[in-house]
Amino acid sequence: MDLNQEFFAPPKSIFDTHAHYDDERFDENRRELLNTLSEHGVGYIINNSTDLYGSAEKCLEMSAEHGFCYTAVGIHPEAVETKGTAVDEARLRELLKRPKVVAIGEIGLDYYWSTDRKEQQKAVFSRQCELANELGVPVIIHDREAHGDTLDIIREIRPKGSLHCFSGSREMALELVKLGMYIGVGGVVTFSNARKLVETVEAIPLERILLETDAPYLSPVPYRGKTCHSAYIYYTAMKIAEIKNISVNEVLRVTLDNAKELFSIK
Ligand code: NI
């Protein structure tokens, strides 16, 4: 893990709204890495589970051990493919009562991995959005090559929350903002082929942007291709600062406030 680089982020200025530190790629050095991140400006991390069992338990363990870790619990669309379509509502409700569980996620639609179980994915996603509304918690949404159906479900059920690793059009982002949603922006914005996302960031207010990694995936330039971690968010924030012609500290400050507000963290 590359942490020799100087990071200039002020203490507790970085809020990573979407990470997967339960991933086995972190098995070797998870504790050490998380302890180091807090020395590099990272103040808050939301680990997004991909199921309600093993992944959720691992995320909850990190929340218990590290003061700056929070958890989102939910059924990822890929889990719908491998583990079926049942939403264990009793389990989900129970998990949402645990300490530092702040959202239902990662949930959504993924038509890149599968196109033959669209209806099942939509049913599981919709049900979790309804539960989020009932329980008054935000959602963290995964949308991969499923923009139309994702937007339809959000329009219909009107959850509050974020579109993580946003990959839709500027027009879609503007509509989501009108619907009260936040747009999750990660390392992809630093890639040389990110024209569409750069246009989106330009068009939407900073007050609706959340920073994220999707660690261990999607490291920003200059670490593209390496295992990602939350301190690299500084490079994503630098890119957004350049696009919006403001300071990187302002990007960090406003996006931190956005995330604290959405996830009710003081
Ligand atoms: Ni994710």
Side-chain angles (χ1 to χ4, degrees):
M1 196 63 45
D2 190 346
L3 268 174
N4 298 325
Q5 180 80 22
E6 286 272 342
F7 291 98
F8 304 101
K12 289 188 124 191
S13 64
I14 290 174
F15 195 136
D16 184 353
T17 58
H18 193 103
H20 300 280
Y21 286 102
D22 61 318
D23 191 280
E24 62 189 17
R25 283 203 232 178
F26 295 114
D27 281 354
E28 261 179 32
N29 66 343
R30 180 176 295 107
R31 175 171 294 143
E32 184 194 347
L33 172 67
L34 287 169
N35 285 334
T36 311
L37 289 179
S38 55
E39 292 160 20
H40 289 84
V42 179
Y44 307 85
I45 294 169
I46 300 178
N47 279 304
N48 282 238
S49 70
T50 52
D51 65 42
L52 303 182
Y53 307 98
S55 171
E57 289 295 347
K58 252 173 130 174
C59 295
L60 285 163
E61 275 170 33
M62 286 184 274
S63 277
E65 182 172 344
H66 301 275
F68 70 161
C69 286
Y70 296 80
T71 302
V73 291
I75 304 168
H76 190 284
E78 277 177 56
V80 174
E81 297 301 315
T82 55
K83 291 170 190 162
T85 56
V87 178
D88 186 343
E89 286 188 21
R91 172 74 177 165
L92 183 54
R93 284 171 195 274
E94 187 266 314
L95 287 170
L96 285 161
K97 290 180 191 148
R98 305 274 195 101
K100 298 166 81 185
V101 174
V102 294
I104 296 184
E106 159 174 14
I107 63 175
L109 303 174
D110 194 319
Y111 297 167
Y112 176 81
W113 286 106
S114 165
T115 51
D116 55 2
R117 300 188 75 183
K118 285 185 180 177
E119 292 311 312
Q120 290 94 328
Q121 286 195 29
K122 279 157 70 174
V124 171
F125 175 39
S126 298
R127 186 65 200 124
Q128 291 180 97
C129 287
E130 286 166 4
L131 277 170
N133 282 354
E134 181 196 320
L135 300 167
V137 292
V139 291
I140 298 172
I141 298 174
H142 171 109
D143 157 25
R144 191 161 182 202
E145 298 188 6
H147 304 321
D149 285 348
T150 301
L151 197 49
D152 282 347
I153 288 170
I154 293 170
R155 277 197 203 109
E156 189 191 321
I157 304 178
R158 300 293 300 270
K160 63 169 191 166
S162 77
L163 262 284
H164 124 74
C165 197
F166 183 76
S167 60
S169 64
R170 175 174 56 185
E171 292 68 31
M172 180 180 177
L174 288 169
E175 173 157 9
L176 287 165
V177 165
K178 264 194 203 145
L179 291 167
M181 301 293 288
Y182 290 81
I183 306 297
V185 179
V188 173
V189 76
T190 68
F191 296 177
S192 54
N193 57 353
R195 191 183 51 83
K196 204 168 72 165
L197 183 56
V198 168
E199 281 175 12
T200 297
V201 167
E202 225 164 24
I204 59 176
L206 187 59
E207 286 68 24
R208 285 287 152 180
I209 293 177
L210 300 180
L211 300 183
E212 63 166 68
T213 54
D214 210 15
Y217 309 105
L218 300 173
S219 282
V221 174
Y223 295 102
R224 188 172 181 179
K226 291 195 173 180
T227 301
C228 191
H229 59 66
S230 306
Y232 289 166
I233 277 186
Y234 194 72
Y235 293 93
T236 301
M238 284 202 304
K239 181 67 187 182
I240 294 173
E242 180 196 313
I243 295 166
K244 295 223 167 265
N245 199 19
I246 54 178
S247 71
V248 63
N249 279 354
E250 187 174 353
V251 172
L252 292 174
R253 184 179 56 75
V254 174
T255 54
L256 178 72
D257 285 350
N258 297 344
K260 284 180 166 180
E261 165 86 21
L262 176 63
F263 299 109
S264 304
I265 293 171
K266 283 185 185 142

